């Protein structure tokens, strides 16, 4: 299993420097840990002691603090999430194991399922935890801000988050502040007061200044801690302290330059040179400093700098890794740029790049090569890591590196052009994909035509990757064409890939075969789609890409269901669940449980379906939520529809639509069409008609498989309008459309849609008074459905279908017993065994199954919003259920409802 390509990172609070203890501020931070408080923010400019204060606070919380120091290189969602998990694992190694597996295994990780898995682990932890995100101002990527917002919004009570930043972080501070969930310390809180300034200057720095001198420095620096520290360093050994203090002036933008010049000028030349040359490094150790400076005393230098309080911050308790104070590093960097020519600075970066390459940190090696403007070297490093990039999918970082290279250089390297195209496509920037692929193909064509060796101009640093490149480009071409819904192009490129990829390249051949399957599915050729997709899945499994196989199982099962093969779909899900090597539960297993639950729903095994959905959620606590969370909401919506709770179904469908991610699969059953069907069932025909108009649907449209489900929904709208208006015109239009849909579905072998067409036709002919014709049509539907055990497809039609089923059930025809079973699903018979019939007679109107479920939760300690979340409904829907329950029980509050229910033995 691949791991992300990450720079060196340590996850412990930095040891506290010997500064003034700030117990009053630590006490304020402790107040932020009270119940209900979620976030602590320390926001102030550089040098106000934010990290030092957090470190002092952390020292009071042993074995509770997960520390993550951030820098500009962490602006990659996958990298950030990996570091976040690693930080928490320094406190409890069991936290985030499933989340980290998701992060490594997924080709396009989404923050929400990964964080959900992590938070569920934290919620089960017996200890309280503090997560510190230090230097959060370095993060600029909006997806990371969204991930942190999600984290804060869903914090379990055991976890508190603290953030230090030079500016207000783009998090929902106003909302948290209004709810009393935010603790804030800003520059006015952090600056040194007179007493703290005196203690620091005289006790810590040993200057022995007068009260007047302390007050002057305090006034001039406005309590800015870094300014005081730099001033103290400048005054060491001076005989004219008073003159220095009187001359000390300037606002914060200039003080750092002035004081660092004073500090640097007072250091021996070897130390000054060491500071400037190593300022290019984000993190320092002795060996790395030696490589950059060309000296051999890097470790001793770092120890001496730390002892001298020269803004060196240890990153671990063993004092192996250090960093410069950020402000100090910035000023050193500025002096380096003014004191050394560009080529000398580039040489330093080149040395750092070489050291990182030799020490297994390609990410840092590439970054320093780019800083050195050693673009050829950077390009070589990127090419050599191509296979790792494909596995780990760090497209954001890769794309930033590739964009830093000169365009002319990228165009001469077919592997870089291919990587560029893939990164663009994965990040949704499809406009530039074709041009980059053409650049790669241009050189491959030149190589193929040149018999005397490689043509002039083409550059390759990874010969093995070059050999695979034609097939890889063809796979990219096929995928890009599918995104653009160019089915013919997808098929042509996928077939070309199969010609180019070697027989033992199971990943390449599997990807191409799967893409052919998706293309055939988009065209409505489900038989071919299933065949190609099955081959693709088998090859991916041979390649060991088990998580990809689970993702493919979802699409294959969808094809099988469309073909009317529910049992085959069930086997697909069950086999995928058993794929994990050594019993390992893979990400995507939750999706398999969702799929099985939908099949149970169709067979009217609603309790089993709900149990399966619950298992999916529980599994998600360990392995992350389903890869496609919208599917779980959709299945739950259909269960609620079966239970008669149409409002809850609409809420769930709205949530599903917000979460929709079809990946490369065709959207053959749009959620908006499902929602319209519920609106029709509720009699909200005006809203249903608005959807019809928005989709520009007509009963006279040319038919295509991609819109077949929408046209079936249109037929439902027209039939409902005919019933509501007492008009035959909409019914005739619907019947004409259904006749054409029947022919198309039958020709394509799309049994599930064909069954629905026949059911709707039987209802329409019954409404016209043609009962025998309706019975005959319905019998055809039953004959198709009975072998696979369809139930809800019929039962969800409700009372209008009952007369037809009753008519068939009363005959001796082959489908009579099946019709009786379906009729029982619409009109359940017999008393509920678990309830004494006598008390329920006291209710003029009995409670529905859904209302009983709400009533059971009302008897618990859960709040209304908590009950709504557990039921997966909106608070408005929950309140509607509550009002109905109160009305039926004849009470006006929750306590009375529970008491009355107990009297009636409903609980």
């Amino acid at each position: 299993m691949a791991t992300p390509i990450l720079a060196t990172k340590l996850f412990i609070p930095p040891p506290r420097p010997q500064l003034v203890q700030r117990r009053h501020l630590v006490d304020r931070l402790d107040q932020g840990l009270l119940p209900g408080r979620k976030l602590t923010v320390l926001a102030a400019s550089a040098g106000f002691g934010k990290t030092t204060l957090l470190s002092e606070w952390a020292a009071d919380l042993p074995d509770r603090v997960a520390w993550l120091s951030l820098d500009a290189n962490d602006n990659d969602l996958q990298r950030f999430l990996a570091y976040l998990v690693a930080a928490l694992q320094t406190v409890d190694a069991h936290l985030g194991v499933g989340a980290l597996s998701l992060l490594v295994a997924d080709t396009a990780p989404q923050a929400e399922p990964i964080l959900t898995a992590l938070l569920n682990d934290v919620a089960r932890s017996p200890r309280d935890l503090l997560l510190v995100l230090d230097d959060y101002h370095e993060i600029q990527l909006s997806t990371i801000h969204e991930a942190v917002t999600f984290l804060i919004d869903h914090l379990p009570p055991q976890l508190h988050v603290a953030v230090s930043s030079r500016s207000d972080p783009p998090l929902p501070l106003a909302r948290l502040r209004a709810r009393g969930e935010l603790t804030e310390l800003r520059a006015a809180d952090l600056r040194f007061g007179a007493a703290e300034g005196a203690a620091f200057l005289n006790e810590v720095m040993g200057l022995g200044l007068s009260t007047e001198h302390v007050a002057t420095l305090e006034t001039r620096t406005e309590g800015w801690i870094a300014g005081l520290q730099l001033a103290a360093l400048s005054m060491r050994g001076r005989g004219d302290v008073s003159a220095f203090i009187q001359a000390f002036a300037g606002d914060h933008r200039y003080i750092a330059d002035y004081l660092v010049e004073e500090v640097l000028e007072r250091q021996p030349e070897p130390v000054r040179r060491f500071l400037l040359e190593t300022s290019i490094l984000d993190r320092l150790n002795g060996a790395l400093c030696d490589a950059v400076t060309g000296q051999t005393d890097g470790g001793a230098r770092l120890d001496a700098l730390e002892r001298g309080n020269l803004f060196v911050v240890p990153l671990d308790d063993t004092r192996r890794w250090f960093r410069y104070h950020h402000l100090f590093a910035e000023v050193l960097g500025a002096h380096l740029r003014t004191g050394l020519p560009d080529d000398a600075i580039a040489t330093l970066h080149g040395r750092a790049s070489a050291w990182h390459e030799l020490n297994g940190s390609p990410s840092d090696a590439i970054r320093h090569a780019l800083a050195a403007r050693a673009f050829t070297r950077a390009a070589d490093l990127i090419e050599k890591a191509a296979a790792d990039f494909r596995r780990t999918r760090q497209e954001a970082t890769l794309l930033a590196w590739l964009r830093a290279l000169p365009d002319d250089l990228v165009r001469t390297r077919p592997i870089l052009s291919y990587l560029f195209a893939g990164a663009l496509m994965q990040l949704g920037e499809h406009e530039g994909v074709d041009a980059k692929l053409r650049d790669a193909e241009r050189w491959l064509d030149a190589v193929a035509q040149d018999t005397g060796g490689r043509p002039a101009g083409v550059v390759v640093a990874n010969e093995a990757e070059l050999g695979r490149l034609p097939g890889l480009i063809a796979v990219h071409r096929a995928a890009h064409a599918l995104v653009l819904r160019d089915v013919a192009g997808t098929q042509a490129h996928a077939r070309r890939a199969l010609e180019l990829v070697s027989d033992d390249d199971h990943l390449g051949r599997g990807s191409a075969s799967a893409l052919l399957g998706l293309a055939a599915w988009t065209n409505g050729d489900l038989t071919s789609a299933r065949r190609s997709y099955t081959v693709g899945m088998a090859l991916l499994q041979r390649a060991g890409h088990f998580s990809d196989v689970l993702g493919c199982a979802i699409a294959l099962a969808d094809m099988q269901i469309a073909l009317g093969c529910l049992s085959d779909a069930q086997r697909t899900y069950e086999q995928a669940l058993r794929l994990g090597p050594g019993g390992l539960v893979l990400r995507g297993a939750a999706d398999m449980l969702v799929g099985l639950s939908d099949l149970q729903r169709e067979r009217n095994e609603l309790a089993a379906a709900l149990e399966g959905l619950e298992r999916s959620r529980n599994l998600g606590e360990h392995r992350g939520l389903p890869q496609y969370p919208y599917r779980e909401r959709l299945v739950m919506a259909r269960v609620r529809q079966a239970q008669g709770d149409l409002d809850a179904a609409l809420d769930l469908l709205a949530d599903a639509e917000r979460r929709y991610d079809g990946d490369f699969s065709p959207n053959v059953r749009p959620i908006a069409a499902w929602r319209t069907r519920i609106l029709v069932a509720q009699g909200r025909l005006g809203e249903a008609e608005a959807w019809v108009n928005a989709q520009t649907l007509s009963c006279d449209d040319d038919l295509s498989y991609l819109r077949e489900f929408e046209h079936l929904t249109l037929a439902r709208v027209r039939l409902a309008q005919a019933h509501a208006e007492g008009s035959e015109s909409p019914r005739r239009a619907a019947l004409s459309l259904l006749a054409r849909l029947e022919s198309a579905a039958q020709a394509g072998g799309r049994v599930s849609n064909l069954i629905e067409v026949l059911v709707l036709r039987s209802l329409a002919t019954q409404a016209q008074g043609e009962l025998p014709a309706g019975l005959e049509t319905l019998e055809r539907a039953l004959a198709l459905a009975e072998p696979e055990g369809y139930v809800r497809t019929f039962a969800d039609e409700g009372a209008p279908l009952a007369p037809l089923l009753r008519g068939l059930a009363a005959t001796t025809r082959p489908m009579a017993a099946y019709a009786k079973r379906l009729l029982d699903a619409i009109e359940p018979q017999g008393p509920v065994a678990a309830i004494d019939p006598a008390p329920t007679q006291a209710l003029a109107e009995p409670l529905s199954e859904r209302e009983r479920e709400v009533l059971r939760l009302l008897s618990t300690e859960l709040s209304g919003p908590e009950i709504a979340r557990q039921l997966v409904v909106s608070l408005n829907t929950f309140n509607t259920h509550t009002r109905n329950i109160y009305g039926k029980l004849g009470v006006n509050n929750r306590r009375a409802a529970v008491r009355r229910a107990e009297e009636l033995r409903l609980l």
Side-chain angles (χ1 to χ4, degrees):
M1 186 174 291
T3 55
I5 300 175
L6 301 177
T8 305
K9 178 80 78 171
L10 297 163
F11 305 97
I12 58 174
R16 283 184 296 160
Q18 294 300 311
L19 296 180
V20 177
Q21 288 193 344
R22 316 195 73 186
R23 293 308 310 175
H24 67 293
L25 294 181
V26 173
D27 289 341
R28 286 187 58 184
L29 294 174
D30 284 339
Q31 291 295 310
L33 297 177
L34 291 174
R37 298 284 182 129
K38 291 186 173 183
L39 176 66
T40 294
V41 171
L42 281 69
S45 300
F48 272 96
K50 301 181 292 295
T51 299
T52 300
L53 177 59
L54 286 173
S55 181
E56 181 179 348
W57 187 31
D60 287 350
L61 303 169
D63 302 321
R64 289 178 55 182
V65 179
W67 188 286
L68 177 54
S69 295
L70 299 165
D71 58 48
N73 295 311
D74 296 331
N75 281 282
D76 181 291
L77 180 60
Q78 185 174 24
R79 178 179 299 196
F80 177 88
L81 293 174
Y83 285 153
L84 183 66
V85 173
L88 286 166
Q89 288 182 339
T90 63
V91 182
D92 185 343
H94 300 292
L95 296 179
V97 173
L100 194 58
S101 297
L102 288 179
L103 188 63
V104 172
D106 196 11
T107 58
Q110 300 297 311
E112 183 172 331
I114 292 167
L115 289 174
T116 299
L118 178 64
L119 289 170
N120 283 323
D121 282 352
V122 173
R124 289 189 295 272
S125 175
R127 70 173 75 191
D128 292 332
L129 302 169
L130 172 64
L131 171 63
V132 176
L133 302 178
D134 194 24
D135 290 338
Y136 192 80
H137 55 270
E138 297 282 5
I139 299 300
Q140 304 296 324
L141 195 65
S142 61
T143 53
I144 294 180
H145 297 316
E146 292 165 5
V148 174
T149 297
F150 178 88
L151 176 76
I152 293 168
D153 284 345
H154 296 83
L155 284 180
Q158 296 99 318
L159 181 60
H160 186 84
V161 176
V163 169
S164 76
S165 178
R166 293 185 185 178
S167 58
D168 274 8
L171 303 172
L173 300 184
R175 170 161 56 83
L176 293 168
R177 189 180 296 120
R179 293 177 177 177
E181 297 171 340
L182 176 66
T183 300
E184 298 174 88
L185 274 72
R186 299 189 174 274
D189 306 302
L190 296 169
R191 67 178 77 252
F192 270 168
E196 289 177 311
F200 170 71
L201 292 168
N202 291 332
E203 297 174 17
V204 175
M205 303 303 292
L207 293 176
L209 300 178
S210 68
T211 302
E212 180 182 353
H213 285 158
V214 170
T216 300
L217 284 174
E218 177 69 18
T219 300
R220 299 281 171 86
T221 62
E222 299 182 36
W224 181 40
I225 299 170
L228 285 171
Q229 188 172 11
L230 287 168
L233 290 171
S234 297
M235 285 185 285
R236 281 181 173 175
R238 275 185 178 273
D240 56 346
V241 169
S242 180
F244 172 84
I245 292 174
Q246 293 303 319
F248 184 81
D251 64 25
H252 295 172
R253 290 174 295 175
Y254 306 112
I255 289 174
D257 284 344
Y258 174 80
L259 292 178
V260 172
E261 287 174 6
E262 289 290 315
V263 172
L264 288 175
E265 287 177 1
R266 293 181 177 276
Q267 301 304 315
E269 194 279 334
V271 174
R272 188 162 61 246
R273 178 181 174 188
F274 179 89
L275 289 170
L276 292 173
E277 290 181 345
T278 58
S279 67
I280 68 166
L281 302 171
D282 291 339
R283 295 168 183 81
L284 312 93
N285 70 16
L288 175 56
C289 290
D290 289 344
V292 170
T293 64
Q295 305 298 316
T296 60
D297 57 354
R301 290 278 188 210
L302 291 172
D303 290 340
L305 291 174
E306 185 195 8
R307 289 194 301 271
N309 290 322
L310 277 174
F311 296 97
V312 177
V313 180
L315 295 174
D316 59 358
D317 288 331
T318 63
R319 263 52 176 189
R320 181 169 180 266
W321 284 95
F322 297 84
R323 68 168 173 84
Y324 290 126
H325 183 285
H326 294 314
L327 179 63
F328 191 52
E330 291 168 4
V331 177
L332 288 174
H335 280 270
L336 178 70
R337 290 188 292 275
T338 58
L340 284 182
D342 290 345
D343 58 348
I345 297 174
T347 298
L348 298 175
H349 280 292
R351 294 170 180 172
S353 176
W355 187 91
H356 281 298
E357 182 186 12
L358 290 173
N359 286 273
S361 181
S363 176
D364 287 323
I366 293 167
R367 184 168 53 80
H368 280 290
L370 290 171
R373 301 186 66 79
F375 296 128
T376 299
R377 171 177 170 76
D380 288 347
L381 290 168
I382 294 170
E383 278 196 30
K384 291 173 184 177
D388 289 328
F389 292 137
R390 269 203 310 277
R391 284 195 299 269
T392 58
R393 299 287 182 175
Q394 294 186 69
E395 280 82 11
T397 299
L398 175 60
L399 191 57
W401 288 337
L402 291 170
R403 282 176 166 156
L405 296 174
D407 289 342
D408 290 345
L409 183 147
V410 174
R411 280 195 291 268
T412 65
R413 291 175 172 257
I415 294 174
L416 290 190
S417 296
Y418 155 76
L419 290 173
F420 210 138
L424 288 170
M425 186 160 52
Q426 288 293 329
L427 294 174
E429 299 184 31
H430 301 297
E431 187 175 339
V433 172
D434 182 69
K436 295 302 179 186
L437 290 176
R438 277 191 279 108
D439 285 341
E441 291 163 338
R442 174 169 57 91
W443 288 113
L444 289 181
D445 291 342
V447 170
Q449 294 169 11
D450 195 305
T451 58
R454 184 164 298 149
V458 65
V459 180
V460 174
N462 188 336
E463 294 291 342
E465 193 73 3
L466 181 66
R468 301 186 65 227
L469 201 55
L472 294 173
I473 290 175
V475 170
H476 266 18
R477 281 285 188 196
H480 185 50
L482 191 60
V483 168
L484 301 177
R485 294 308 179 205
D486 176 8
V487 176
T490 299
Q491 293 171 325
H493 291 301
R495 291 186 183 117
R496 176 64 175 157
L498 290 174
E499 295 173 359
L500 295 170
V501 173
S502 64
D503 291 341
D504 60 352
D505 186 350
H506 303 309
L507 178 60
R509 299 190 73 80
S511 299
S513 297
L515 286 165
L516 281 174
L518 291 173
W521 185 12
T522 303
N523 273 343
D525 184 359
L526 291 170
T527 301
S528 296
R530 178 172 62 174
R531 182 169 56 250
S532 294
Y533 216 71
T534 301
V535 170
M537 284 178 60
L539 289 168
L540 290 172
Q541 186 171 343
R542 291 183 66 184
H545 285 236
F546 297 114
S547 291
D548 289 335
V549 175
L550 264 69
C552 290
I554 298 169
L556 178 60
D558 280 349
M559 297 175 197
Q560 291 165 330
I561 291 168
L563 289 164
C565 303
L566 304 190
S567 298
D568 287 348
Q570 180 176 335
R571 280 190 290 273
T572 294
Y573 289 134
E574 291 171 344
Q575 289 168 3
L577 278 172
R578 296 192 291 268
L579 270 182
L584 176 67
V585 178
L586 298 172
R587 186 183 183 219
D591 295 275
M592 303 304 102
L593 294 174
V594 170
L596 288 169
S597 295
D598 194 31
L599 295 174
Q600 290 165 329
R601 175 208 58 78
E602 176 57 50
R603 290 165 175 157
N604 206 35
E605 300 165 3
L606 300 185
L610 287 170
E611 181 182 347
L613 292 171
E614 182 65 24
R615 285 179 60 208
S616 170
R617 285 190 289 271
N618 291 338
L619 185 62
E621 294 181 3
H622 303 284
R623 300 295 303 169
L625 290 172
Q627 293 185 50
Y628 304 101
Y630 83 92
R631 296 178 72 97
E632 187 266 343
R633 306 306 195 279
L634 176 58
V635 174
M636 181 63 83
R638 302 208 63 201
V639 171
R640 295 308 182 207
Q641 177 188 6
Q643 293 175 325
D645 193 347
L646 300 185
D647 287 337
L650 283 176
D651 287 339
L652 287 159
L653 288 173
D655 193 20
E657 193 160 23
R658 285 191 295 270
R659 297 169 179 268
Y660 178 76
D661 176 14
D663 203 4
F664 288 97
S665 297
N667 189 12
V668 293
R669 294 197 163 200
I671 295 171
W674 284 115
R675 181 177 181 274
T676 301
R677 290 170 175 232
I678 300 294
L679 295 175
V680 170
Q682 290 181 318
R684 296 160 65 176
L685 300 185
E687 294 172 70
E689 184 63 27
W691 171 81
V692 171
N693 293 333
Q695 303 304 312
T696 63
L697 290 169
S698 164
C699 290
D700 299 321
D701 287 340
D702 291 334
L703 300 183
S704 70
Y705 172 60
L706 286 178
R707 305 206 75 181
E708 194 165 85
F709 188 73
E710 291 179 305
H711 280 116
L712 276 167
T713 306
L714 170 63
R716 289 180 175 276
V717 175
R718 293 292 175 255
L719 291 175
Q721 288 171 337
H723 175 75
E725 300 167 5
S727 170
E728 280 299 312
S729 178
R731 184 175 291 113
R732 284 195 297 270
L735 281 169
S736 174
L737 174 60
L738 288 169
R740 294 193 297 133
L741 288 170
E742 179 182 346
S743 298
Q746 189 159 352
R750 300 188 288 274
V751 173
S752 285
N753 282 356
L754 179 57
I755 291 171
E756 183 180 353
V757 169
L758 294 173
V759 170
L760 292 178
R761 281 192 57 204
S762 67
L763 288 169
T765 52
Q766 174 189 237
Q768 290 178 321
E770 301 174 12
L771 188 58
L775 289 172
E776 181 182 347
T777 303
L778 181 62
E779 191 168 21
R780 287 179 56 204
L782 266 58
L784 291 170
E786 191 270 341
E788 294 292 334
Y790 285 82
V791 176
R792 292 314 313 179
T793 294
F794 301 91
D796 287 344
E797 301 298 335
L801 192 61
L804 286 167
L805 290 171
R806 203 176 293 116
L808 275 178
T811 70
T812 59
R813 302 175 75 164
M815 292 296 108
Y818 186 35
K820 175 65 168 62
R821 177 185 164 199
L822 298 177
L823 187 62
D824 287 343
I826 295 175
E827 301 174 340
Q829 302 296 314
V832 180
I835 300 175
D836 187 336
T840 59
Q841 292 173 0
L843 295 180
E845 183 181 355
L847 298 178
S848 69
E849 180 182 347
R850 184 63 156 170
E851 288 166 347
R852 288 179 183 276
E853 185 178 3
V854 174
L855 182 58
R856 284 192 294 273
L857 293 172
L858 287 172
S859 67
T860 69
E861 297 298 321
L862 294 175
S863 67
E866 289 170 335
I867 293 175
R869 282 195 293 272
Q870 183 156 334
L871 295 170
V872 199
V873 300
S874 70
L875 191 57
N876 286 337
T877 299
F878 164 72
N879 290 334
T880 299
H881 286 310
T882 303
R883 286 193 298 271
N884 292 340
I885 292 169
Y886 290 174
K888 292 180 180 182
L889 295 177
V891 298
N892 57 15
N893 63 64
R894 178 173 178 171
R895 183 174 299 175
V898 172
R899 188 165 54 249
R900 177 63 173 155
E902 289 172 345
E903 292 171 355
L904 297 174
R905 294 158 64 183
L906 296 173
L907 291 174

